[in-house]
Amino acid sequence: MSETTAATGVPEALAEPVTRVRPGWMSLLFFANIALWLGVYAPIQVLLPQQAELLDAANKETVFGIVTGTGALMALIANPAIGLLSDRTCSRFGRRHPWTVTGAVIAAAGLLVLAVAPDVVVMTIGWCLVQAGLNGMLATLMSGIADRVPVGQRAQVGGLVGIAQMLGTVLGAVVVVVMLDLAGLPLGYAACAVIVLAGAAAFVLRTPDARLPPTHRPSGELRQILATLRVSPRRHPDFAWAWACHFMINLGNAFGTLYLLFFLKDAVHYPDPDSGLLIMMGLYGAALVAGALFAGHFSDRSGRRKPYVLVSSVVMAAAALLLVLWQTWPVALIASPLLGVGFGVYMAVALALLTQVLPAAQDRAKDLGVVNIANSLPQVVAPLLTTLILEWLGGYPALFAASAVATLLAGALVTRVRAVR
């Protein structure tokens, strides 16, 4: 990195990385992402649905949809906004780390609010704080990949991030189910808060973060700065097509996973849905690890990204179509690892593809914040559409059909990206 800076006159914070990151750095990023995704998915999969049922059993799906949808709207704002702020931060502690810590603290505070929420309004406020904090943390962690990881290593690192997302999901379900058995919802939320803070602290304290010189801070009035939150599809078509692909994959995944607990209860009629969810997530997780490791290794060796996205979209659609045809426990056990391996392949190459089409080095975190809207927006859209689908358009078979259509469309969209093979 220092040689690149010396040769080009570009500050380290803005230079294109050329030095491969070491296993220690990757391990700390891996654990920080586990903590982050545990903080997102443990509430979504277990704590929030149970809390919604406790507060209003007759309208649990509606309550859950309102809370998660409102929180996702907050995420849409927080992710690019905090990314933009970090791009302009000239702290002696670096550009990204101060915001990683701030996000973790806000998220932990929100989880503690949820632990004592007496009604739906306070529950919604708590989840909005969690989403704001964790999406700020996500913006800075993902920009660290573009800041420090060379292109030829990004699918490998992306695969680890995908595995971390899965492990955060699975470990979160395990942790909160154990905590629920011990002391109920408050201890489950408190455990998530502690883990989020620990993951952020370990990464920030043990990894470098290049300082942006004040002379290279992007300038402009507030109106001009806010205008940069929009990335022009006409000027940057590859970024637009990659964003649309990422959105559709995440929408399909949201259709397929957000209501799994209710699916096991109400459609499969599994006698112990909490345990059933753990079994499904275990199979999903093992397959995701295999898919991510395979795709990350071979994608970096070949330099190709799009064929892996196409394969992942077909495999994920096949998993959803199985549940369209049969809502049974044995079929759910087959669909889970299929969905896992498909999403693992996608996650391994997604970050590599997306970071290769970013418009400008000085706006990496902001642009990745715009990318992360494609993670958050489905959480707004999916609960609203899912309620409509379940009530009026055919129930769970129609929901999984929508998941299949979304993931297949993602495969079609990625073919329009020209700058990446």
Side-chain angles (χ1 to χ4, degrees):
M1 180 73 77
S2 60
E3 291 180 1
T4 301
T5 304
T8 64
V10 177
E12 181 182 355
L14 300 179
E16 185 66 23
V18 295
T19 304
R20 291 175 67 86
V21 293
R22 296 181 178 181
W25 187 91
M26 289 191 289
S27 298
L28 290 165
L29 179 70
F30 178 72
F31 288 118
N33 272 278
I34 288 177
L36 186 158
W37 291 111
L38 183 147
V40 172
Y41 283 113
I44 285 178
Q45 290 190 314
V46 181
L47 297 174
L48 292 176
Q50 293 206 9
Q51 193 166 20
E53 192 167 16
L54 286 172
L55 293 176
D56 190 348
N59 300 292
K60 60 185 180 182
E61 292 92 348
T62 302
V63 170
F64 179 67
I66 289 171
V67 172
T68 55
T70 306
L73 282 172
M74 176 61 71
L76 295 180
I77 299 168
N79 207 307
I82 294 177
L84 185 149
L85 289 171
S86 77
D87 283 334
R88 286 159 172 75
T89 296
C90 299
S91 164
R92 66 187 180 91
F93 300 107
R95 287 198 296 172
R96 315 301 185 195
H97 284 354
W99 295 103
T100 300
V101 171
T102 300
V105 170
I106 292 172
L111 288 163
L112 296 179
V113 169
L114 284 166
V116 297
D119 53 43
V120 175
V121 172
V122 177
M123 182 181 172
T124 303
I125 292 170
W127 186 239
C128 284
L129 288 172
V130 173
Q131 284 282 40
L134 291 180
N135 275 272
M137 185 176 167
L138 176 63
T140 56
L141 290 178
M142 292 305 96
S143 61
I145 296 174
D147 289 343
R148 307 204 71 86
V149 181
V151 169
Q153 199 181 11
R154 285 183 190 170
Q156 179 187 358
V157 174
L160 288 176
V161 170
I163 293 169
Q165 181 172 345
M166 175 278 303
L167 286 178
T169 305
V170 174
L171 291 176
V174 172
V175 167
V176 298
V177 167
V178 171
M179 295 298 107
L180 286 171
D181 289 340
L182 291 175
L185 286 168
L187 188 57
Y189 281 123
C192 292
V194 170
I195 292 169
V196 166
L197 290 171
F203 183 75
V204 166
L205 293 174
R206 300 295 301 275
T207 64
D209 184 18
R211 178 177 175 271
L212 179 70
T215 53
H216 286 76
R217 188 204 308 263
S219 60
E221 297 179 356
L222 180 60
R223 181 184 299 179
Q224 295 173 311
I225 292 172
L226 293 177
T228 66
L229 288 173
R230 178 181 178 272
V231 178
S232 169
R234 179 173 296 180
R235 292 178 58 195
H236 306 287
D238 282 343
F239 181 87
W241 290 119
W243 188 98
C245 169
H246 198 54
F247 171 81
M248 294 309 301
I249 281 282
N250 280 285
L251 181 63
N253 191 58
F255 281 146
T257 60
L258 273 181
Y259 283 72
L260 276 182
L261 186 62
F262 295 151
F263 170 70
L264 291 176
K265 283 184 179 181
D266 302 332
V268 176
H269 304 296
Y270 192 73
D272 186 356
D274 287 339
S275 297
L277 181 63
L278 289 179
I279 293 169
M280 289 180 67
M281 294 310 300
L283 293 171
Y284 170 93
L288 188 149
V289 170
L293 291 176
F294 172 86
H297 174 75
F298 286 101
S299 176
D300 276 342
R301 285 189 62 181
S302 66
R304 297 177 69 84
R305 316 298 188 194
K306 291 194 291 188
Y308 295 92
V309 177
L310 291 171
V311 168
S312 72
S313 68
V314 171
V315 172
M316 292 175 70
L321 289 173
L322 284 176
L323 294 175
V324 171
L325 299 173
W326 301 283
Q327 293 88 55
T328 65
W329 177 242
V331 172
L333 294 180
I334 297 170
S336 296
L338 268 181
L339 183 65
V341 73
F343 198 58
V345 168
Y346 176 75
M347 288 301 296
V349 299
L351 284 174
L353 186 150
L354 289 161
T355 55
Q356 285 176 245
V357 296
L358 294 179
Q362 68 178 12
D363 293 323
R364 284 171 183 155
K366 182 268 295 180
D367 291 335
L368 281 169
V370 174
V371 166
N372 286 329
I373 290 175
N375 294 330
S376 303
L377 188 57
Q379 295 180 41
V380 178
V381 176
L384 301 175
L385 293 180
T386 297
T387 300
L388 177 66
I389 292 168
L390 293 179
E391 291 292 332
W392 301 103
L393 299 178
Y396 283 102
L399 179 63
F400 291 117
S403 176
V405 170
T407 53
L408 289 173
L409 182 56
L413 290 167
V414 80
T415 63
R416 302 299 300 273
V417 177
R418 302 302 182 197
V420 181
R421 293 187 296 154

